[in-house]
């Protein structure tokens, strides 16, 4: 699929267009007229010969060749036949805005559209959506009310939203802040094209720099991680606002769209793995997009140091806190900066970063302080906190514009905010500064958040994850064997001599367990002994167990006594592979044993995952300190653990019918001594009740 | 101290007043005149007989009786003599605004003011502050520029800020949102009165409902917890914005005020212990104060259910997420609400909470939906998300006002926000709604945050913490004994028979250690055996150890072999008492043993702490799951652990010269079997190097 003809159609047909601009079905044509779409437009409506300056045909079949996009405005019951007609006419793309499909319980009606798309080789946006806008070509295939006001200016930010209303609200804000838009696509019910398919195309689009998504759940989440890796390689940010992060939100989401968002922990893991930039509110998303618009995409080695000039020392401290929490350093100034500031400020004032100029400086002095900080070699961004208390905004404006230009020319940035929410520059002044490349936001903490999040999308060298080749089926034991992960040595023995010989071979300590199908709860009859340290102890344990079992389960048939190697000095991990409903195969990795439950120290990754992704996930866990050798313990064989995790997940991905694979604990021995999988559990689809749809691969 | 005469002075003297309104020293008198302070005002300035309509005396000594407050405007070098004169004249309160004291390195000059306060029994605000405002009496003892604009209206919110500039910026916002102010006091350098002393008075003040603090560090933090407990008893919220939460912020703070904020973890512990409401930005503080102003203080059993009406299902889900993260429930509607909504909305629309009315309803229908939700018995607050897309604000206004009144009359609340940041009501409409008791904030997430934080300040039954009586000094051993916390049983034995008898008495397993001053590293010579399980094993260990020690340290004098009880099946805690620089005696409580470092599961409390405070802190830790008996383990003796912690901290508080007391681990055995302190470390001031000031009690 190539969306270039969707984003830049030569010709658009509006099916069911109305000449009445006041009606919803009249708007798209009116917008195409008003904003001057450069291609050809056809209306389709049997009642008219022309609508405005556009020619009108009676039926889709009568459209000429070369129509790239059909905007279908007819109501739900008529969409299927219109889409089918578009397909017959070889139109490659269609948009349906009608509601009354899956969101209203009319699932079959939506499945029909999906089938037509497949059969006719036509790609559909919607139904139940608000349409699409591409300002660069004045492509206004939408009924969005915001276009009554203004078409956003062309730009590098692509916006894809499942919700039409939220998308429209973001469009309003794009206009208010004069943020440039590459395209807005509202995906609605996603009968065919979904958020990820569209994002893939926009990541590949040369004119797109950042792709912002509002999603309530991914239709085909397994494609998210490859998309994220590709975006990072290209240095394009993917910003995601995801609704349904909490149980309360998921309940609300199901009743809204019928989509069930996946578990929060899986989502958080994927955000980290893929380097996605997650925001938690519309304001936060908008602030970040404004920062992208004003400052451009971050360069790979762009300096991240923040220098701050404020008239309130108290606010300076708050900014330093916020920057620390967001991971933005505020470096000490270099000596030339310190000397320069010292000459400008009263001797009792501190010249550290943040600089508190209080009310002591003249306007010239203030300007000079700012210039000094911006020239400091450790500073990437200068943040000015303005207040009408101290600054004459009108007099400062020309200089601020010049400073913004100068910052941009030297590869640095200027950010501007205000002491108080009732202390802002006028809207036209803010737009002028944004136009000169300065970031202007209403509060210091919003500035700091947007600056930090923008830097999180630096381009990175990201290897692709290899999808392993398919393999043959097998049981739980062969799973461990194929993964090449050793299990503890064990043997069923029938005499103490046999047991002692085996224990000598594997080394003490060992565990001893009675083997009998008649004894389900071994511990209760004295049938388990752990930590047996030497031959004498083994002899005693053997004797005690024989007596205890005979006394308490006199009728049980004893098939022998299992002697098992006990691994000491090991760190316990938990490794689980399963199928997430939303994101497909996922890996859970964490601190194992009893700590899984108590410490809750686990991370999730989408599969296939790369070796660096697994290593990074492991590094961020608390158990990493134990693996590294906390409190004088030996460092563990972390490399062997990562190898085992990779091999286990590859076996999981390539074994047909395997729906879950768990190892808990995976014992990681001291460096050089490898790992042991103690309890390996493999669940096959055939093990599950037939009616269940839990954990089925998708 | 009683601040009533400060908040409502009968007479104010302005020392160093100028007749020039354009000058800083001219402003206070001008404001007292403009806003009509009802008491008597005297200027003090040898150059004038009168200033404006106020009489002027040449010197402080010439002031008549009955002056309650002196506002001292003279520069730093002259403040001490002015303050002294005020004291001689029996004026109880003074404010000094001059800078040039500790903040500029002039510490001695500030100490002099402190001494005068003590000697003359006069209480001082400042120096280096912006003064004080009490709108109810038009007390404008300040040079704040915001009063050029407007005096905030009288209200129930008290504001105490160390920073003058941030206080002034908040004042601007109070005026912009028409929030009522009980008093604003800018404390500056706090030579005498500090934030806590003033907050104590305002918590006791009948006209104050909420006390908001901006602090960079507490001068006398030991008084914070008693203040917090008193506020909770009275149902008054203490809202704190604290700068210097991060290391980066602390560095900035030191260079700004010379105050070193304490460690973040201690602070977080105290916030939780005291039920303080912490906000992290000026916007967040203001939102919460606006919510207090509009909705009043929370009642003890006020319903917290949130009902939401939106035209964007996507935003509804985001709101549900935000509410869940803030702990605000969104209950299911009761049957009457569901039936009522069902009759109003199209059959395909969901009638669950949040209600998505989309664009389907008429204005009448929308109004009726809102009324139904507000009448639902589970709903405490109705949140409306308005958008000019769907709503005619002018037509809705009268009904919104009526709905706000109706909500208030039924003990419920109305909150209003907007789909987009460029979609707000006009400022005058917002003020009218606020006046009717509705909360209006620019975004849904800010609404949810403010609603949740307001409810966090419900009045609570809080017992006072008893300060234990003093006691005599003693060493580490007597510390454990006086706390009544058992240590493991142990005995130095000289024969195997003696050792076996002792081990039988305390129960197996035991540890065996060689005792010799000549053997510093016992393990290296085979001088330590752990986990000895029975008499046979003890016999073998004894023999092995005798042989090994003799072979490897033939010349060492052996003083015997120590047999020590080994506690099994216990949960390890860490308990530490120390002196925090900012908050005085504090208790650290957490998961002990190697988990202290790896899991980092600790909480801090101010001492003395109450039993419920300790129990609550323990409950919030991860180790609480182990104490409760995770994965089939027996439940631990948590009550005995809390008793031991209380007794240890009382011993810490009452033992002269004891600067640190640590137990790690404190072993908590199964329920009914108590605790054992394995390693108790008591550090006395006399143990420390003489020059050190670390950890000294204050």
């Amino acid at each position: 699929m190539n969306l270039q003809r969707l984003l830049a159609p030569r010709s658009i047909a509006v099916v069911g267009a109305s000449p009445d601009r006041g009606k919803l079905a009249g708007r798209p044509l009116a917008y195409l007229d008003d904003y001057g779409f450069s291609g050809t437009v056809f209306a389709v409506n049997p009642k008219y010969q022309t609508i405005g300056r556009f020619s009108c045909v009676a039926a889709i079949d009568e459209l000429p060749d070369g129509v790239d996009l059909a905007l279908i405005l007819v109501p739900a019951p008529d969409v299927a036949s219109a889409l089918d007609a578009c397909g017959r006419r070889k139109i490659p793309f269609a948009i349906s805005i009608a509601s009354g499909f899956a969101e209203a319980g009319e699932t079959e009606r939506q499945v029909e559209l999906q089938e037509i798309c497949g059969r006719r080789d036509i790609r559909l946006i919607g139904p139940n959506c608000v349409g699409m806008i591409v300002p660069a070509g004045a492509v206004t295939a939408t009924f969005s009310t915001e276009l009554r006001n203004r078409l956003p200016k062309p730009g590098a930010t692509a916006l894809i939203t499942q919700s039409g209303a939220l998308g429209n609200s973001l469009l309003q804000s794009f206009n208010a802040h004069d943020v440039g838009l590459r395209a807005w696509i509202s995906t609605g019910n996603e009968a065919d094209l979904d958020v990820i398919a569209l994002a893939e195309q926009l990541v590949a689009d040369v004119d797109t720099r950042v792709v912002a998504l509002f999603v309530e759940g991914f239709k085909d989440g397994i494609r998210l991680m490859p998309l994220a890796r590709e975006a990072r390689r290209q240095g394009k940010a993917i910003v995601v606002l995801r609704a349904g992060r909490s149980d309360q939100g998921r309940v609300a989401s199901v009743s809204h769209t019928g989509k069930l968002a996946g578990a929060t922990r899986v989502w958080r893991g994927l955000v980290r793995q893929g380097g996605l930039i997650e925001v938690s509110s519309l304001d936060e998303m908008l602030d970040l997009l404004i920062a992208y618009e004003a400052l451009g995409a971050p360069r790979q080695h762009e300096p991240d140091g923040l220098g701050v000039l404020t008239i309130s020392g108290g606010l300076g401290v708050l900014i330093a806190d916020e920057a620390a929490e967001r991971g933005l350093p505020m470096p000490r100034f270099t000596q030339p900066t310190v000397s320069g500031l010292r000459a400008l400020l009263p001797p009792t004032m501190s010249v550290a970063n943040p600089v508190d100029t209080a009310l002591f400086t003249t306007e010239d002095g203030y300007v000079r302080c700012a210039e000094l900080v911006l020239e400091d070699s450790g500073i990437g961004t200068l943040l000015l906190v303005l207040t009408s208390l101290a600054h004459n905004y009108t007099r400062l404006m020309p200089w601020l514009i010049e400073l913004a230009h100068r910052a941009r020319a030297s590869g640095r940035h200027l950010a501007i905010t205000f002491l108080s929410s009732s202390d802002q520059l006028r809207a036209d002044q803010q737009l002028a500064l944004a136009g000169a490349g300065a970031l202007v936001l209403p509060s210091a903490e919003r500035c700091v958040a947007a600056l930090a999040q923008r830097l999180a999308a630096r381009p990175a060298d990201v290897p692709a994850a290899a999808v392993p080749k398919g393999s043959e089926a097998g049981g739980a034991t062969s799973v461990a064997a194929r993964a090449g992960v050793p299990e503890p040595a064990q043997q069923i023995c029938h005499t103490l001599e046999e047991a002692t010989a085996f224990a000598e071979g594997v080394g003490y300590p060992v565990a001893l367990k009675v083997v009998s199908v008649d004894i389900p709860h071994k511990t209760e009859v004295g049938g388990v002994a752990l930590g047996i340290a030497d031959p004498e102890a083994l002899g005693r344990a053997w004797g005690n167990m024989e007596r205890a079992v005979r006394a308490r389960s006199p009728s049980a048939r004893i098939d022998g006594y299992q002697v098992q190697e006990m691994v000491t000095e090991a760190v316990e991990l938990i490794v689980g592979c399963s199928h997430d409903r939303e994101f497909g195969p996922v890996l859970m990795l964490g601190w194992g044993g009893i700590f899984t439950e108590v410490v809750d120290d686990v991370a999730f990754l989408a599969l296939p995952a790369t070796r660096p992704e697994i290593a990074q996930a492991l590094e961020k866990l608390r158990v990493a300190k134990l693996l590294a050798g906390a409190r004088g313990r030996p460092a563990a064989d972390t490399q062997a653990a990562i190898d085992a995790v990779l091999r286990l997940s590859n076996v999981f991905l390539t074994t047909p019918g395997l729906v879950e694979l768990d190892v808990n604990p995976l014992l990681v021995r001291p460096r050089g001594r490898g790992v042991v999988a103690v309890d390996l559990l493999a669940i096959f689809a055939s093990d599950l009740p037939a009616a269940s749809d839990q954990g089925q691969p998708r």
Side-chain angles (χ1 to χ4, degrees), chain A:
Chain A
M1 184 185 62
N2 185 322
L3 288 196
Q4 286 312 310
R5 284 174 73 193
L6 174 66
L7 297 175
R10 295 162 299 175
S11 172
I12 300 176
V14 184
V15 181
S18 157
D20 183 350
R21 287 178 159 249
K23 284 189 181 160
L24 193 145
R27 285 186 217 153
L29 222 49
Y31 297 152
L32 289 165
D33 192 12
D34 293 349
Y35 295 110
F37 170 63
S38 57
T40 323
V41 175
F42 297 95
V44 181
N45 191 327
K47 288 191 242 165
Y48 308 98
Q49 301 276 305
T50 59
I51 295 181
R53 63 180 182 88
F54 304 122
S55 42
C56 186
V57 298
I60 293 166
D61 295 336
E62 294 170 23
L63 284 167
D65 285 349
V67 172
D68 286 334
L69 172 62
L71 177 59
I72 301 173
L73 304 179
V74 300
D78 305 328
V79 173
S81 66
L83 183 65
D84 197 55
C86 290
R88 285 197 310 268
R89 202 60 206 82
K90 304 289 177 211
I91 299 172
F93 294 101
I95 297 173
S96 163
I97 64 162
S99 56
F101 291 86
E103 91 287 357
E106 301 282 350
T107 314
E108 281 179 31
R109 197 180 267 166
Q110 188 164 317
V111 169
E112 195 187 351
L113 297 190
Q114 218 171 329
E115 284 166 359
I116 295 170
C117 287
R119 194 169 65 234
R120 295 288 184 192
D121 194 24
I122 180 168
R123 307 308 310 258
L124 175 70
I125 292 173
N128 189 29
C129 76
V130 181
M132 183 186 83
I133 297 173
V134 185
V139 182
T140 55
T142 181
F143 62 92
S144 160
T145 47
E146 179 58 13
L147 292 206
R148 286 187 201 154
N149 173 23
R150 197 188 131 186
L151 181 66
K153 74 173 186 192
T157 303
L159 189 60
I160 310 174
T161 67
Q162 288 176 336
S163 159
L166 279 194
N168 198 66
S169 128
L170 278 165
L171 220 57
Q172 252 183 305
S173 303
F174 269 58
N175 276 337
H177 297 275
D178 206 34
V179 176
L181 184 72
R182 170 62 178 132
W184 169 43
I185 305 174
S186 131
T187 63
N189 286 13
E190 305 188 341
D192 177 41
L193 288 171
D194 65 358
V195 165
I196 295 183
L198 293 163
E200 283 167 357
Q201 294 300 315
L202 287 160
V203 162
D205 172 63
V206 287
D207 294 327
T208 299
R209 201 160 53 193
V210 51
V211 181
L213 314 177
F214 173 79
V215 285
E216 290 179 57
F218 290 98
K219 185 181 144 198
D220 194 14
I222 193 169
R223 284 151 53 225
L224 181 64
M225 203 46 53
L227 167 69
R229 291 193 191 99
E230 181 57 30
R232 293 191 78 187
R233 272 191 289 270
Q234 302 216 14
K236 295 189 180 180
I238 296 190
V239 180
V240 190
L241 175 57
R242 178 177 162 90
R245 304 186 299 270
S246 63
D247 288 339
Q248 192 160 282
R250 275 194 291 278
V251 170
S253 180
V254 169
S255 69
H256 172 225
T257 60
K259 287 190 181 104
L260 182 72
T264 305
R265 285 142 48 109
V266 174
W267 170 244
R268 292 258 180 274
L270 270 56
V271 164
R272 184 174 276 185
Q273 181 184 9
L276 302 170
I277 303 184
E278 190 181 17
V279 291
S280 62
S281 71
L282 287 171
D283 279 349
E284 206 181 333
M285 175 178 266
L286 192 69
D287 289 352
L288 175 55
L289 297 178
I290 290 172
Y292 251 87
E293 174 77 13
L295 314 181
R299 305 183 309 277
Q300 189 151 13
H301 300 290
E302 184 175 315
D304 57 1
L306 180 71
V308 177
L309 225 68
T310 160
I311 71 134
S312 159
L315 186 63
V317 181
L318 284 178
I319 292 171
D321 283 336
E322 187 70 26
E325 278 153 26
R326 295 275 181 181
L328 211 56
M330 288 178 57
R332 286 164 170 274
F333 293 135
T334 56
Q335 197 48 51
T337 314
V338 171
S339 318
L341 290 171
R342 188 74 290 158
L344 289 164
L345 292 171
T348 57
M349 299 294 294
S350 151
V351 294
N353 186 12
V355 184
D356 176 9
T357 63
L359 301 170
F360 293 106
T361 53
T362 59
E363 224 143 78
D364 284 353
Y366 182 76
V367 165
R368 189 66 203 119
C369 285
E371 289 168 345
L372 276 166
V373 173
L374 195 60
E375 285 158 15
D376 188 289
S377 58
I379 298 300
T381 302
L382 165 65
L383 172 62
L384 299 180
V385 183
L386 303 183
T387 167
S388 51
L389 219 68
H391 309 115
N392 180 318
Y393 290 173
T394 311
R395 281 210 302 270
L396 275 184
M397 270 303 291
W399 167 76
L400 288 171
I401 299 267
E402 194 204 313
L403 195 67
H405 285 301
R406 207 185 308 170
R408 177 177 275 183
S410 66
R412 283 142 202 269
H413 303 300
L414 176 65
I416 294 172
T417 191
F418 310 93
L419 184 59
S420 150
S421 55
S422 15
D423 210 16
Q424 316 278 316
L425 284 166
R426 287 196 318 268
D428 62 310
Q429 294 170 320
Q430 300 202 16
L431 289 180
L433 281 165
L439 172 65
V440 187
L441 287 174
S443 76
E445 73 264 21
R446 286 173 65 171
C447 266
V448 168
L451 289 169
Q453 280 181 315
R454 172 182 164 275
L455 283 171
R458 285 196 179 103
D461 248 354
V462 181
V467 181
K469 295 276 188 295
S471 165
E472 72 272 45
T477 315
S478 71
V479 165
R482 270 189 294 129
V485 179
E487 298 184 272
Q490 56 189 47
Q491 184 175 304
I492 295 172
C493 303
H494 298 89
T495 64
L496 176 58
E497 290 65 39
E498 206 184 335
T500 310
F502 178 76
E504 290 291 335
V506 299
Y508 289 96
V510 295
L512 186 68
K513 293 174 192 171
V514 68
V515 182
S516 165
V517 289
D518 300 328
I519 304 176
H521 301 294
K522 300 180 172 65
T523 310
E524 290 175 10
V525 300
V528 175
L530 301 176
I532 298 168
D534 53 37
E536 289 88 345
L538 179 56
R540 274 198 310 280
W542 184 280
N544 290 341
M545 195 175 290
E546 273 189 334
R547 275 190 302 279
V549 169
R550 205 170 297 142
R552 293 184 206 168
S553 296
S555 62
R557 202 192 77 186
I558 308 299
D559 298 317
Y561 293 85
Q562 184 181 63
V563 183
Q564 192 178 49
E565 171 189 22
M566 280 188 77
V567 177
T568 53
E569 278 202 307
V571 176
E572 295 178 296
L573 295 184
I574 181 170
V575 182
C577 299
S578 61
H579 286 277
D580 183 80
R581 278 166 187 270
E582 192 176 6
F583 297 105
V586 292
L587 167 70
M588 183 187 78
L589 186 60
W591 196 351
I594 72 154
F595 303 107
T596 305
E597 192 180 315
V598 176
V599 184
D600 192 20
D601 182 37
V602 297
F604 284 85
L605 294 157
L607 287 178
T610 65
R611 196 185 164 86
E613 286 167 359
I614 293 172
Q616 275 163 28
L618 203 51
E619 261 168 36
K620 295 243 163 76
L621 293 173
R622 289 196 167 81
V623 72
K625 286 191 192 165
L626 273 190
L627 290 168
R631 298 185 45 126
R633 295 174 164 219
D637 202 337
T638 304
Q639 294 311 314
I642 295 171
D643 286 339
V645 169
L646 264 172
R647 286 197 306 266
L648 284 165
S649 45
N650 282 345
V651 167
F652 175 73
L653 290 174
T654 54
T655 304
L658 184 56
V659 291
E660 200 175 321
L661 178 60
D662 289 299
V663 181
N664 187 14
L666 179 74
L667 296 175
V668 189
R669 302 178 116 166
R671 195 171 289 163
R673 292 176 52 200
V675 299
V676 179
V678 175
D679 276 318
L680 188 146
L681 176 71
I683 300 175
F684 287 84
S686 51
D687 302 336
L688 298 173
S692 161
D693 67 346
Q694 292 177 326
Q696 294 289 355
R698 312 151 48 117

